[in-house]
Amino acid sequence: MDAMESGDVSTKQRRIAELARIHPDVSFTSLAYHIDLGWLYEAYERTRKDGAVGVDKQTAGEYARELVENLKSLLERTKSGSYKASPVRRVYIPKGSSKKKEKRPIGVPTFEDKVLQRAVQMVLEPLYEQDFLDCSYGFRPGRSAHDALQTLWKHLMEVGGGWIIDLDISKFFDTMSHAHLREILKRRVRDGVLRRLIGKWLKAGVWERGSVRYPEQGTPQGGVISPMLSNIYLHEVLDKWFMEVVRSRLRGKAYLVRFADDAVLIFSDEQDARRVMEVLPKRFGKYGLAVHPEKTRMIRFEKPGSPEDRKGSSSFAFLGFTHYWGRSRKGNWVVKRKTEKSRFSRALKAVAEWCKRNRHLPVREQQEALGRKLRGHYGYYGITGNARSLQSFLCQVRRVWRKWLNRRSRGNHLPWEKFSLLLKRYPLPPVRVVHSTYAAKL
């Protein structure tokens, strides 16, 4: 592997970041030269090895058998311009928040395309991190969904709830305009190699049911480069426009929190919210996008006005949590969050299906697997104020586990009394709050 160590990737990335910071209005023409054999090897290391295979059905393990030669070939084709992007393989996954059992289309690139997309993402990231604003959190280094949730909670508490625009972009990844994306990229990236590579991925086509079609817009969800391109696009369409243009024209306070294509806009003044709600469709339409007319809504989310009020005016969902007003232990009104119903149901259904398929495994193995699933659930949904939902989930998991253990043979051989004794021997992990909302109060 020594032959592939042709420079320190992190040092090069710091150099790109520093130049981008010093020259915020410059469009860079020489970026692809950073991609050498060492850079591609680092991109390979950062690429998931257990992901679904692309149209060529090549696994990460097969690619690794002749890794050096494969990376050398990829580098030569990239630099010469002879590299050809393969169509992405279309698969469908359930939409977590859908009540109609709709499915979300995902595009799976080949493993080699994943490696090269990762390499280009590693060039673009340090450049655009100097431009991206604090209001965006999705697919950015050092930022997470819980950071977005924490910031949202702080803003809501600061303005006492106010008025909310729950923004939904209709089929964003399917409708993003290639022409507008090229124009937006041109403002910071004029490197011909990188622009041609991105163009090839956008035009590579989608393989589905034995044929390839070539959409004239959109970027496949599932592609390694897609989150970066979506952030670049929405930085221009929404973030920069709202934070630098819109806010200066409003009467009250206003905030934006965006995670990928999910966004919440917060206003202290109702008229400000109505004005922005009216202009949003025009703004997005200018860039070939549409605001979903039914899912995008303006919500009164003000703190209850009288002591007799038992809850706030409305609730809304963001990143898997329902946000609502409730009383704290001290009796104060605070913004609370609980697991969104659809996310709760989806997670429980997955556990039930696993228990059904694996009910004949030894109890110890089942306990260990369910423990991992619960700890993963707590790892995301374990936030301050959500203990009741977590406890309910744990109880439901126990109920489902007993149901399928009881069906390992005919008859009711596992009544609750006996199952309670089994739980003492094979306990499931208790509820745990992993992320504390109040750890970083204003």
Side-chain angles (χ1 to χ4, degrees):
M1 296 299 177
D2 291 341
M4 289 189 280
E5 294 177 0
S6 56
D8 181 55
V9 171
S10 60
T11 299
K12 293 180 180 181
Q13 288 182 315
R14 285 195 295 270
R15 191 176 305 147
I16 294 171
E18 181 63 15
L19 288 172
R21 186 187 63 80
I22 296 173
H23 305 287
D25 300 318
V26 169
S27 184
F28 291 85
T29 58
S30 300
L31 290 169
Y33 80 91
H34 290 292
I35 302 178
D36 54 22
L37 203 55
W39 192 282
L40 280 182
Y41 179 71
E42 180 64 23
Y44 162 80
E45 286 288 289
R46 297 185 188 186
T47 301
R48 279 188 58 182
K49 310 300 189 295
D50 59 348
V53 297
V55 294
D56 62 356
K57 298 183 180 180
Q58 185 181 48
T59 66
E62 292 168 345
Y63 192 84
R65 289 172 191 167
E66 297 182 10
L67 181 60
V68 176
E69 292 306 315
N70 285 334
L71 293 181
K72 285 182 178 179
S73 171
L74 179 58
L75 180 63
E76 191 280 327
R77 285 179 280 130
T78 299
K79 298 295 186 179
S80 67
S82 61
Y83 162 81
K84 294 183 179 180
S86 300
V88 297
R89 184 171 66 88
R90 173 60 51 85
V91 297
Y92 293 88
I93 62 172
K95 281 188 176 182
S97 58
S98 174
K99 297 180 181 179
K100 301 179 180 179
K101 296 185 178 180
E102 297 178 12
K103 292 189 175 182
R104 185 189 307 276
I106 298 292
V108 182
T110 64
F111 185 77
E112 181 175 75
D113 286 351
K114 291 177 184 178
V115 172
L116 189 53
Q117 288 185 23
R118 179 65 65 192
V120 172
Q121 182 265 342
M122 288 161 52
V123 175
L124 296 179
E125 183 177 87
L127 189 161
Y128 278 100
E129 275 299 308
Q130 312 312 306
D131 297 349
F132 290 161
L133 303 177
D134 288 342
C135 59
S136 70
Y137 290 85
F139 307 107
R140 293 183 58 188
R143 289 175 162 238
S144 69
H146 290 99
D147 293 326
L149 289 164
Q150 175 71 7
T151 299
L152 177 62
W153 183 84
K154 287 182 178 180
H155 291 331
L156 291 171
M157 290 295 293
E158 179 184 344
V159 301
W163 290 80
I164 306 297
I165 294 180
D166 184 4
L167 177 62
D168 187 282
I169 307 171
S170 182
K171 298 181 179 179
F172 168 70
F173 285 94
D174 294 333
T175 59
M176 189 172 66
S177 165
H178 294 176
H180 284 300
L181 177 61
R182 284 192 289 269
E183 286 300 313
I184 294 170
L185 279 169
K186 190 186 297 184
R187 297 168 192 173
R188 283 302 246 167
V189 179
R190 288 185 179 268
D191 185 292
V193 174
L194 295 189
R195 291 179 63 83
R196 282 192 296 271
L197 286 175
I198 293 172
K200 288 178 179 181
W201 291 322
L202 293 175
K203 298 176 181 178
V206 177
W207 185 90
E208 185 176 11
R209 297 188 180 97
S211 63
V212 180
R213 62 182 183 86
Y214 299 91
E216 296 181 358
Q217 57 189 13
T219 179
Q221 281 184 271
V224 175
I225 198 67
S226 295
M228 173 59 69
L229 297 181
S230 68
N231 269 338
I232 293 171
Y233 204 85
L234 289 176
H235 167 74
E236 184 68 28
V237 176
L238 179 60
D239 303 353
K240 188 176 177 182
W241 169 73
F242 183 82
M243 300 299 288
E244 299 180 3
V245 179
V246 173
R247 289 212 308 177
S248 62
R249 302 176 182 178
L250 302 180
R251 298 190 303 180
K253 295 180 179 179
Y255 300 101
L256 165 67
V257 178
R258 180 176 67 81
F259 190 94
D261 60 331
D262 291 329
V264 173
L265 291 75
I266 307 163
F267 303 88
S268 62
D269 184 88
E270 179 183 356
Q271 291 305 312
D272 287 343
R274 294 192 181 280
R275 288 170 59 198
V276 174
M277 185 71 173
E278 182 179 349
V279 78
L280 274 175
K282 300 174 185 177
R283 175 65 183 179
F284 279 87
K286 179 181 177 181
Y287 289 87
L289 301 174
V291 174
H292 198 292
E294 297 174 0
K295 295 181 181 179
T296 298
R297 56 197 185 116
M298 193 176 85
I299 306 163
R300 175 177 167 261
F301 193 71
E302 294 177 316
K303 186 185 304 185
S306 66
E308 292 77 21
D309 288 344
R310 299 188 64 184
K311 60 180 181 178
S313 49
S314 294
S315 64
F316 68 94
F318 183 62
L319 298 180
F321 291 91
T322 297
H323 297 66
Y324 65 100
W325 283 102
R327 293 282 192 183
S328 69
R329 291 183 178 180
K330 295 182 179 180
N332 300 320
W333 287 112
V334 295
V335 176
K336 292 190 171 185
R337 286 85 56 85
K338 60 183 178 182
T339 308
E340 191 180 350
K341 286 184 179 180
S342 60
R343 297 290 190 96
F344 186 102
S345 299
R346 183 177 66 172
L348 186 59
K349 181 179 179 181
V351 170
E353 290 176 349
W354 186 93
C355 288
K356 179 180 179 181
R357 292 194 310 269
N358 298 278
R359 62 187 181 275
H360 295 295
L361 287 178
V363 174
R364 174 66 71 185
E365 291 185 26
Q366 293 189 46
Q367 176 217 21
E368 292 173 353
L370 290 174
R372 290 191 295 270
K373 294 178 185 297
L374 281 168
R375 282 188 286 271
H377 190 84
Y378 302 157
Y380 186 78
Y381 294 103
I383 66 172
T384 302
N386 197 34
R388 182 176 296 178
S389 291
L390 296 178
Q391 190 63 46
S392 178
F393 187 76
L394 175 59
C395 291
Q396 291 297 320
V397 168
R398 288 171 177 164
R399 181 187 61 80
V400 166
W401 191 23
R402 173 191 171 271
K403 171 184 174 180
W404 290 108
L405 285 177
N406 200 37
R407 294 191 181 185
R408 299 213 291 186
S409 60
R410 294 181 180 179
N412 185 18
H413 297 292
L414 194 61
W416 277 105
E417 295 80 6
K418 190 174 181 180
F419 181 64
S420 297
L421 294 175
L422 182 143
L423 283 175
K424 290 182 179 180
R425 185 175 180 184
Y426 302 102
L428 295 177
V431 167
R432 178 169 174 250
V433 173
V434 179
H435 309 277
S436 174
T437 302
Y438 305 106
K441 278 188 176 181
L442 286 174

